Amino acid sequence: MFPHSWALIVASIHSGFGCFLILNWPQSDSEHLMVSSEQMQNIEKEMFSMGMPVEALMEKVGIGISSWILDRHGLIENGAIVLVGPGHNGGDGLVVARELYMAGVDISIWCPFPLKKQLTQKHFDYAMQIGIENLERKPDSNSDLLWIEALFGLGQSRIISDEILCLLNSKKTFSPEKLISIDVPAGLDSDNGNIVSNTSCRASSSLTLGLFKSGLIQDSAIDYVGNLERVDIGIPDKILAGFPETQPLRISFSDLSNFVWPMPSKSKSKYHRGRVLVIAGSEKYRGAASLALNGALASGVGSVSAFLPDSVSSALWITHPEVLLLGDLNAFQDGSSDFSKVLNEVDLNRFDSILLGPGLGIAEEKDCFGSDLQDFKGLLVLDADAINRLSRTSKGWEWLNDREGPTWLTPHLEEFKRLFPLIDCSNPLKAGIEAAKTCSSSVLLKCAHSVISDPEGKTWQIGQVNSSVARTGLGDVLAGFVSGMGASGLASDKKLNTSLLAASALMHAYAGAFSRKGSTASTICTFLGELIKKERT
């Protein structure tokens, strides 16, 4: 499904335990780097200081955007209008107008503001000289013309008039696929994805310039950005090399082809191919335990053991005959499960990873996180109700800093807020980075654009969104899957890199987007297992 390149295979580390990629994934290049508006502006300044003329960069941007549009003839079959802003974003739009006009497109421009930049004014004057129409009145939003919004671009702070926003949103209503924005939709903050005014332009596509702006990949921006595309402006590798290793990276489904998954040696037995212990489920949430087990099994891990509520374990030999049942979880009066008493019934260090949390229910279990889990040297994955219960303990997240082994947290936003009440969650990217550093654990903050960050600040954000993964049970599958992949990674290489968590979350999203037999948790889990099997064969 995702063939590996020979370069990546050669770059893998080989040992008696198999091979596992330890190089940075993916590359810190133009396709992956996410930047703030200030960082992007500094890049442009550095390019100018190296001798790149401002005029040449504007030409490169305009030609790149016009080529993207011309490749999609259906957008311009009835003509187009460029909405020109006062600054260089408007100048980019005027170059687009010129190129489309020269290609035979019926094109006009509308300038709702006085032009402020000399270069933009020059392009406007030339557009008038070659015969492009300048509309004296606002365009008709009911038309089927393509609107190219080039009003403000990067680093917006100006409050946009209700008249213009109403006009733009009216266009989106009548022709939902015929409104594109250059770089950043008008009215949107490119750093955090929040609106600058009372609302923002709702583009069908946003053509971001040079590098992905971090705000455009936040959940708050989804309804405004539409389909996000990057237009290359030729940033020199010398400049890109100056970014720190902790610069956030946008990952997409195509990056799965460049990730080398844990590959246990063929000579090893099941107990040397990764061992997972799943502690999940309750009388109220029986399905969560089953789905978490399915996720762990889909990872291809060698051995899965479990502590489960009696209502699940009694039929385990029918539903999951591959799973080794170690015992039953006691139930509290409210139906939630008591897991603290089972931890001393088994040597936890027999396992490479432990998954704790899916479907346990919330209970006042103050002393449930003790020295046994702190001393466990393998991977501890805390999900759902384990996170909720940890947030109720006297130590809270501080307990995580005393862990002997690595910890992966997989909260959704509300669980995250309970565990980290003092962290500002308005920007999930920044929140995930801060939490991982604070608690010395890797954090997978589940949202439409999930954020994965490690304690050293290395961060990934999933750049593609598919509503199919926003369904009940898929979080349980994900928790089981990353637990299995983590166990396989430790068994294969005796090391663990958070890039494995990021790639596993991306694979889970891919399975949700492309499962052929449906979008339920069970069908997606089956497809996930098929994908991993293909990767390993």
Side-chain angles (χ1 to χ4, degrees):
M1 183 66 69
F2 308 109
H4 303 140
S5 70
W6 280 110
L8 286 168
I9 293 174
V10 171
S12 299
I13 297 298
H14 294 270
S15 70
F17 299 101
C19 64
F20 184 45
L21 187 70
I22 63 171
L23 296 182
N24 288 333
W25 171 88
Q27 292 184 344
S28 298
D29 56 18
S30 297
E31 282 296 323
H32 300 100
L33 286 165
M34 295 165 51
V35 295
S36 66
S37 57
E38 181 181 8
Q39 286 176 315
M40 191 66 226
Q41 289 165 346
N42 288 337
I43 287 173
E44 292 178 354
K45 290 177 182 178
E46 190 168 355
M47 291 174 69
F48 298 149
S49 70
M50 294 169 68
M52 165 67 83
V54 177
E55 295 87 346
L57 185 59
M58 187 173 288
E59 285 290 313
K60 192 172 185 69
V61 167
I63 293 172
I65 293 171
S66 58
S67 296
W68 185 91
I69 294 171
L70 289 169
D71 286 341
R72 294 156 178 80
H73 180 73
L75 288 177
I76 50 174
E77 57 187 352
N78 297 314
I81 299 174
V82 179
L83 282 58
V84 179
H88 281 169
N89 191 252
D92 296 335
L94 287 166
V95 175
V96 173
R98 182 199 72 206
E99 290 299 302
L100 295 180
Y101 179 80
M102 299 301 290
V105 177
D106 183 8
I107 190 85
S108 56
I109 61 175
W110 181 54
C111 304
F113 308 102
L115 302 184
K116 293 184 177 181
K117 294 291 185 178
Q118 183 179 12
L119 183 56
T120 301
Q121 183 67 55
K122 286 183 178 181
H123 281 296
F124 174 84
D125 294 340
Y126 185 66
M128 296 300 95
Q129 289 294 324
I130 63 176
I132 297 177
E133 180 184 6
N134 179 30
L135 301 177
E136 296 183 359
R137 297 181 179 180
K138 64 182 181 182
D140 180 9
S141 61
N142 292 327
S143 72
D144 197 33
L145 302 177
L146 172 67
W147 282 19
I148 304 167
E149 183 267 304
L151 292 175
F152 301 111
L154 195 64
Q156 298 178 39
S157 59
R158 176 173 182 165
I159 301 298
I160 304 172
S161 69
D162 291 340
E163 180 185 14
I164 290 180
L165 284 174
C166 181
L167 183 67
L168 291 168
N169 289 328
S170 177
K171 174 62 177 177
K172 177 66 174 176
T173 299
F174 287 105
S175 305
E177 300 303 319
K178 292 293 185 73
L179 174 58
I180 66 174
S181 290
I182 294 180
D183 207 11
V184 181
L188 194 67
D189 188 315
S190 58
D191 287 341
N192 56 36
N194 297 328
I195 55 176
V196 177
S197 309
N198 58 334
T199 186
S200 169
C201 168
R202 295 176 182 267
S204 55
S205 293
S206 297
L207 308 183
T208 192
L209 307 178
L211 300 176
F212 289 106
K213 317 308 182 298
S214 58
L216 303 184
I217 307 174
Q218 304 315 305
D219 289 7
S220 56
I222 289 174
D223 292 336
Y224 305 104
V225 170
N227 177 44
L228 181 62
E229 300 273 355
R230 187 184 70 86
V231 176
D232 187 48
I233 64 170
I235 302 173
D237 291 340
K238 178 181 179 180
I239 294 178
L240 297 179
F243 280 99
E245 291 185 2
T246 54
Q247 190 68 28
L249 300 176
R250 176 186 181 271
I251 53 176
S252 57
F253 297 148
S254 61
D255 292 314
L256 290 169
S257 64
N258 295 323
F259 189 82
V260 177
W261 300 90
M263 193 71 68
S265 171
K266 295 179 181 179
S267 65
K268 299 300 179 181
S269 71
K270 58 187 177 184
Y271 297 116
H272 294 90
R273 299 173 66 84
R275 301 160 296 174
V276 180
L277 172 60
V278 175
I279 304 174
S282 61
E283 298 302 316
K284 186 176 181 180
Y285 302 111
R286 304 177 190 180
S290 178
L291 291 170
L293 290 173
N294 285 343
L297 293 167
S299 71
V301 70
S303 171
V304 178
S305 302
F307 283 105
L308 306 168
D310 177 70
S311 57
V312 176
S313 64
S314 59
L316 189 67
W317 64 276
I318 299 174
T319 59
H320 297 84
E322 315 94 326
V323 176
L324 175 62
L325 179 65
L326 299 182
D328 293 338
L329 297 174
N330 294 325
F332 292 111
Q333 288 186 349
D334 63 1
S336 59
S337 291
D338 175 6
F339 69 82
S340 61
K341 294 181 174 60
V342 304
L343 295 175
N344 58 8
E345 296 179 9
V346 64
D347 178 10
L348 298 183
N349 285 310
R350 287 170 42 197
F351 302 97
D352 296 295
S353 73
I354 298 175
L355 168 61
L356 180 65
L360 288 175
I362 301 178
E364 295 292 342
E365 196 179 7
K366 294 295 185 182
D367 299 322
C368 54
F369 291 89
S371 59
D372 37 24
L373 288 177
Q374 279 187 331
D375 296 339
F376 173 54
K377 294 180 174 57
L379 169 66
L380 177 62
V381 179
L382 297 183
D383 180 65
D385 288 331
I387 294 173
N388 291 328
R389 293 194 191 187
L390 181 61
S391 68
R392 293 187 172 199
T393 63
S394 57
K395 279 194 169 184
W397 58 262
E398 293 182 14
W399 178 88
L400 297 165
N401 286 318
D402 295 325
R403 278 263 302 131
E404 285 287 328
T407 307
W408 288 355
L409 305 178
T410 59
H412 60 56
L413 192 57
E414 292 306 313
E415 293 161 352
F416 182 94
K417 290 177 180 178
R418 294 186 192 108
L419 188 58
F420 302 104
L422 300 182
I423 292 181
D424 180 6
C425 294
S426 61
N427 186 320
L429 177 64
K430 293 181 179 179
I433 293 171
E434 182 179 351
K437 291 180 179 179
T438 297
C439 68
S440 305
S441 304
S442 294
V443 175
L444 164 54
L445 178 51
K446 296 181 291 190
C447 42
H449 289 292
S450 292
V451 176
I452 305 94
S453 189
D454 72 12
E456 286 70 44
K458 182 75 174 178
T459 304
W460 302 259
Q461 187 161 22
I462 296 178
Q464 289 171 290
V465 176
N466 189 284
S467 59
S468 295
V469 297
R471 298 196 64 180
T472 301
L474 271 168
D476 303 318
V477 170
L478 176 60
F481 183 66
V482 301
S483 301
M485 295 308 303
S488 295
L490 282 172
S492 298
D493 198 55
K494 302 302 181 185
K495 297 177 183 178
L496 201 60
N497 191 300
T498 307
S499 63
L500 178 59
L501 176 60
S504 299
L506 183 62
M507 177 70 89
H508 176 268
Y510 178 90
F514 293 101
S515 176
R516 298 177 295 274
K517 296 181 180 180
S519 58
T520 65
S522 297
T523 55
I524 289 175
C525 188
T526 300
F527 184 48
L528 196 56
E530 294 172 358
L531 292 174
I532 289 297
K533 183 179 179 180
K534 288 180 180 178
E535 282 296 290
R536 289 180 170 168
T537 57

